[in-house]
């Protein structure tokens, strides 16, 4: 293990990784939610017609 | 090749398995790359632990440029051949590219604070990257502002192509002007100037960002193809009744 977790610069490093993780998570939820909504609407449309 | 992928039905059957496949690849690469970057890679002899921000910052910068180039290609195809799927691809890539550019700016700022002693400077690299981020937002705003989807796609494609001029400016800004931002370490004359112990996690994280882009792009494109189908069917029914 090479990391020195006692260095105060970890506040910045941790912040960068946390923001990246939250950003990817939020973008994934929004896009997959959008896909689920429209795929369901298309399926219901096909079934009703 | 373009004709084959421009068929929406063929795209839907291809993307049905391709987007989860790319998503799983992204999760595996992040699961390998993040601990490698955060814990097992060495600190830098000058920057110490703060160099670990490089592994989230640099791939975001590379792919923010790469995604914009992809959007430029898709916009060109959309304008010349009028393929609706090309406009769908450019439109679907824009929010992901905007996120990557924004992440690059924020993580760069978090890296700049401990290493440069400042969160922001108006140097050529940072400013041109900010312009790229604003171009992404402008593209999205223009697409959203016009109700006629075909007209919105055409105008947004022209804006996207005009914005391509910024890509070489971002890349070469550190050579053309005197900047606080360091020069290229990997894509430069004379080969990579980075130790293999850092290159490994950097390329793994870059692979994870690429796979995440592929998964999110295909999922967003599928959503848009379904949306257009549903809206077209609703319009047909409204006209018939």
């Amino acid at each position: 293990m090479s990391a020195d977790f006692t260095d105060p610069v970890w506040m910045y490093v941790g912040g960068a990784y946390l923001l990246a993780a939250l950003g990817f998570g939020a973008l994934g939820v929004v896009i997959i939610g959008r896909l689920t909504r429209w795929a369901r609407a298309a399926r219901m449309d096909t079934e009703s017609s | 090749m373009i004709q084959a992928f421009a068929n929406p039905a063929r795209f839907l059957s291809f993307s049905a398995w391709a987007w989860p496949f790319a998503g799983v690849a992204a999760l595996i690469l992040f699961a390998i790359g993040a601990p490698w970057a955060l814990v097992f890679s060495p600190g830098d002899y000058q920057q110490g632990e703060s160099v670990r921000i490089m592994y989230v910052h640099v791939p975001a910068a590379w792919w923010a440029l790469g995604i914009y180039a992809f959007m430029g290609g898709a916009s060109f195809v959309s304008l010349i051949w009028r393929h609706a799927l090309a406009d769908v691809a450019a439109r679907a890539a824009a929010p992901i590219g905007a996120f990557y550019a924004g992440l690059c700016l924020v993580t760069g700022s978090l890296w700049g604070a401990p290493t440069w002693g400042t969160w922001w400077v108006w140097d050529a690299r940072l400013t041109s990257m900010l312009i790229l981020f604003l171009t992404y937002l402008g593209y999205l705003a223009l697409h959203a502002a016009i109700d006629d989807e075909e007209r919105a796609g055409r105008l947004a494609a022209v804006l996207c192509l005009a914005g391509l001029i910024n890509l070489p400016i971002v890349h070469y800004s550190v050579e053309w002007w005197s900047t606080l931002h360091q020069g290229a370490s990997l894509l430069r004359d004379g080969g990579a100037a980075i130790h293999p112990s850092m290159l490994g996690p950097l390329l793994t994280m870059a692979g994870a960002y690429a796979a995440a882009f592929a998964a999110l792009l295909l999922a967003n494109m599928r959503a848009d193809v379904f949306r257009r189908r549903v809206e077209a069917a609703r319009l047909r029914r409204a006209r018939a009744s």
Side-chain angles (χ1 to χ4, degrees):
Chain A
M1 195 179 294
S2 297
D4 171 16
F5 293 106
T6 58
D7 193 325
V9 85
W10 270 94
M11 192 175 67
Y12 299 97
V13 177
Y17 279 75
L18 187 66
L19 278 174
L22 289 175
F24 273 111
L27 195 62
V29 166
V30 168
I31 289 177
I32 293 169
R34 185 169 178 260
L35 172 59
T36 309
R37 194 169 67 246
W38 285 112
R40 189 184 300 137
R43 200 169 50 245
M44 284 168 67
D45 233 36
T46 313
E47 284 166 5
S48 66
S49 61
Chain B
M1 174 90 171
I2 289 171
Q3 290 289 345
F5 283 102
N7 180 323
R10 203 168 295 156
F11 167 76
L12 284 178
S13 71
F14 157 75
S15 61
W17 62 266
W19 89 261
F21 180 82
V24 169
L27 289 176
I28 291 170
L29 286 167
F30 274 126
I32 297 168
W36 194 358
L38 267 174
V39 181
F40 300 108
S41 69
D44 184 69
Y45 79 106
Q46 279 183 323
Q47 297 185 40
E49 298 296 311
S50 70
V51 76
R52 297 181 197 283
I53 297 175
M54 170 178 74
Y55 305 109
V56 284
H57 170 76
V58 172
W62 285 347
W63 291 117
L65 293 171
I67 293 169
Y68 199 89
F70 168 82
M71 283 172 59
S75 296
F76 182 78
V77 171
S78 162
L79 275 178
I80 303 298
W81 287 287
R82 297 286 171 95
H83 278 311
L85 207 56
D87 178 46
V88 168
R91 171 73 184 77
I96 311 164
F99 165 63
Y100 279 20
L103 184 64
C104 169
L105 289 169
V106 172
T107 54
S109 195
L110 282 164
W111 198 3
T115 50
W116 296 341
T118 181
W119 297 92
W120 182 263
V121 282
W122 291 100
D123 89 348
R125 171 56 70 85
L126 277 70
T127 308
S128 56
M129 198 55 173
L130 177 65
I131 290 169
L132 179 66
F133 176 63
L134 294 176
T135 311
Y136 273 122
L137 297 187
Y139 177 93
L140 286 166
L142 183 61
H143 229 298
I146 301 168
D147 285 335
D148 180 350
E149 207 140 15
E150 209 182 312
R151 190 159 164 263
R154 268 202 312 277
L155 290 174
V158 171
L159 172 69
C160 180
L161 289 174
L164 281 175
I165 189 74
N166 192 35
L167 296 192
I169 296 175
V170 175
H171 183 72
Y172 291 108
S173 55
V174 288
E175 292 176 24
W176 292 344
W177 292 283
S178 171
T179 60
L180 190 56
H181 194 283
Q182 69 166 71
S185 301
L186 210 63
L187 303 171
R188 63 179 210 134
D189 296 338
I194 182 168
H195 195 268
S197 60
M198 291 177 169
L199 189 59
L202 181 61
L203 293 181
T204 307
M205 289 296 276
Y209 274 58
F213 166 64
L216 292 171
L217 171 75
L218 292 171
N220 211 13
M221 283 178 73
R222 280 176 70 77
D224 218 35
V225 171
F226 285 133
R227 178 186 65 79
R228 287 179 189 221
R229 281 187 171 186
V230 168
E231 286 178 355
R234 283 176 188 164
L235 198 64
R236 273 198 305 275
R237 278 200 299 273
R239 279 181 184 154
S241 60

